[in-house]
Structures are given as structure tokens and as C-alpha cells.
């Protein structure tokens, strides 16, 4: 059973917290602009993540590290304008919370106040618990993010599956105890993700973490098959969007060149 799509009732933080007891799997997708936010919201997604993955899929960087807080605020504003039901959560980008709890709170406050985000997400477990607690204390809902945290890409030596059970269980607990209302678990073996889920009372949102999490999140460009050359193992493509768009653009170009577009149907008389 999913949260029912409804224009009148926005998805809330308490809806997330009660998802497990209601037997509801949570659906989350990324979006970075108004047009996609409208489509995802209309389709009934429970939450939209304005992820710092935009550094890669929108800006074309090889990591998310260059993304700034100003850019996250801008993209959050665009997404919020296209959303009537979904909860909008926004990533705190690299070096906007690592300095300490005060910096984290100031950054989170700007995402909510200037961007319109309903919640913020930040990477790290034990190491960021103090920052999470400071943000929660200001009544800003927080989602944690553990496992393969993309902002740690250089420490991990690449985007690699994380298998250290003791560390990941401790990270999950720290995030929960700091007051987060959900936690993203990224690129963790299925059994370990299930163990993490069972050890927590807040919902886990998996990406590359198997079917036992309380919800799932994917980068929208990945699940729409926008980039032919990018095929992470954990992604299911629900449409070959990249090929379809290229085909449509090529047809448009051909028709313009051949004088077939516009015809009388698209012309004013
Ligand atoms: O930035 C992002 O899109 C994310 C998801 C991959 C969970 O953090």
C-alpha cells in the first residue's frame, strides 16, 4: 500500500514516521527544477529530494563536491514551485555543514527560509550527529545519509559499496539518536541494510540497499534512462528516456529541414 496521491493532503514528516506501522513503502525521487517537480508530484511520489547529485546530472561535474549552497537554494525554489503534495527535502552540499553545528544550522536555515525546503538531508553518521541535533533543535526536520556517502568519494577511493557492519550500524543509531526522521542508506549489501532497518524506529530510504528498506530513492535521470553510458547496478530504468528524447529531437530537425514542420495545423490563418 502506498500513501494515496491526493492534491489536498501534503505528505508530512509524521507521515514518514508512521509509514512502517501503516505498512507503507515510501517513494522518493530526485528533481532539480519546476518541470520535473510537477511531473513527479502529479505522479504521486511521496518526497522529492533536491540532491547535490545535481552537480553531476545537471552541472556535468564528475562529483557533487563543487555544488554551492546558493545553487541548492535556487534549485529548491524551482522544485517547491512545482510541488503541491510531495515533501521537499534538500541536500546540504559539501562544506556547508562539516565545519560544525553552527555552520550546519545556518546552512539548513537558509535552505528552509530562502529555498522553501520542508526538510534537509546531510551525509555522515556518528561524525555529523552533533550537526543533526543542532538543526533538529531549531525545528528543521532532518534526513540522515549513511553508507556510500558521495561527499566522501575521495576517502572511499570511488563510489564503492560499503560493508563495514559495525560502523554502519553505529552511524544509523547516531543519526536516529540525534533526531533525524529518516535515513538514506546508500550502496550497502541487502542483508546489512535489512539489519540497519530492523535496528531503527525511523524509516530507512534505500538506494542500492536492496528491498528491505522502508522506502526507495533514485536519481530521476537514472531511472528515466537519460544517460545511455551510465548504468549503476542498483538502477532500474523505467523508460529509455535518453533514446526517446534524441529520437524526437532528430525527427524535429529532419522535419524542419524538409519543410514538414510547421504545417497548417501549427500555423495562424
Ligand atoms: O544527491 C542525491 O541525489 C542523493 C541520493 C543519491 C540519495 O543523495
Amino acid at each position: 500500500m502506498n500513501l494515496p496521491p491526493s492534491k489536498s493532503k501534503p505528505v508530512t514528516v509524521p507521515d514518514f514516521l508512521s509509514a512502517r506501522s501503516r505498512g507503507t513503502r515510501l517513494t522518493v525521487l530526485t528533481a532539480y527544477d519546476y518541470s520535473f517537480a510537477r511531473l513527479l508530484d502529479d505522479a504521486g511520489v511521496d518526497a522529492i529530494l533536491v540532491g547535490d547529485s545535481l552537480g553531476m546530472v545537471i552541472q556535468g561535474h564528475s562529483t557533487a563536491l563543487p555544488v554551492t549552497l546558493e545553487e541548492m537554494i535556487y534549485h529548491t525554489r524551482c522544485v517547491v514551485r512545482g510541488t503541491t503534495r510531495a515533501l521537499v527535502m534538500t541536500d546540504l552540499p559539501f562544506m556547508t555543514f562539516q565545519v560544525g553545528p553552527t555552520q550546519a544550522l545556518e546552512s539548513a536555515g537558509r535552505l528552509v527560509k530562502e529555498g522553501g525546503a520542508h526538510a534537509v538531508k546531510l551525509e555522515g553518521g556518528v561524525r555529523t550527529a552533533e550537526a543533526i541535533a543542532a538543526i533538529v533543535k531549531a525545528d528543521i526536520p532532518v534526513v540522515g545519509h549513511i553508507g556510500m556517502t558521495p561527499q566522501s568519494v575521495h576517502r572511499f577511493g570511488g563510489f564503492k559499496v560499503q560493508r563495514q557492519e559495525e560502523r554502519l550500524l553505529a552511524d544509523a543509531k547516531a543519526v536516529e539518536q540525534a533526531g533525524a526522521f529518516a535515513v538514506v542508506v546508500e550502496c550497502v549489501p541487502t542483508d546489512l541494510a535489512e539489519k540497519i532497518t530492523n535496528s531503527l524506529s525511523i524509516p530507512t530510504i534505500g538506494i542500492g540497499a536492496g528491498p528491505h528498506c522502508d522506502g526507495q530513492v533514485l536519481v530521476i535521470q537514472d531511472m528515466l534512462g537519460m544517460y545511455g553510458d551510465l548504468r549503476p547496478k542498483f538502477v532500474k530504468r523505467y523508460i529509455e528516456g535518453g533514446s526517446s528524447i534524441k529520437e524526437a529531437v532528430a525527427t524535429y530537425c529532419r522535419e524542419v529541414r524538409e519543410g514538414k514542420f510547421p504545417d497548417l495545423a501549427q500555423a495562424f490563418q
Side-chain angles (χ1 to χ4, degrees), residues 122-130 132 145-146 149 170-172 174-175 178:
L122 60 156
E123 296 183 8
V126 172
R127 284 177 299 125
T128 45
E130 266 185 61
I132 293 174
H145 185 161
I146 64 167
T149 43
D171 280 341
V175 163

Side-chain angles (χ1 to χ4, degrees), residues 24 28 40 93 121 142 186 197 209 222:
T24 298
V28 185
L40 270 50
K121 175 168 85 57
V142 174
E186 179 162 358
T197 299
D222 288 345

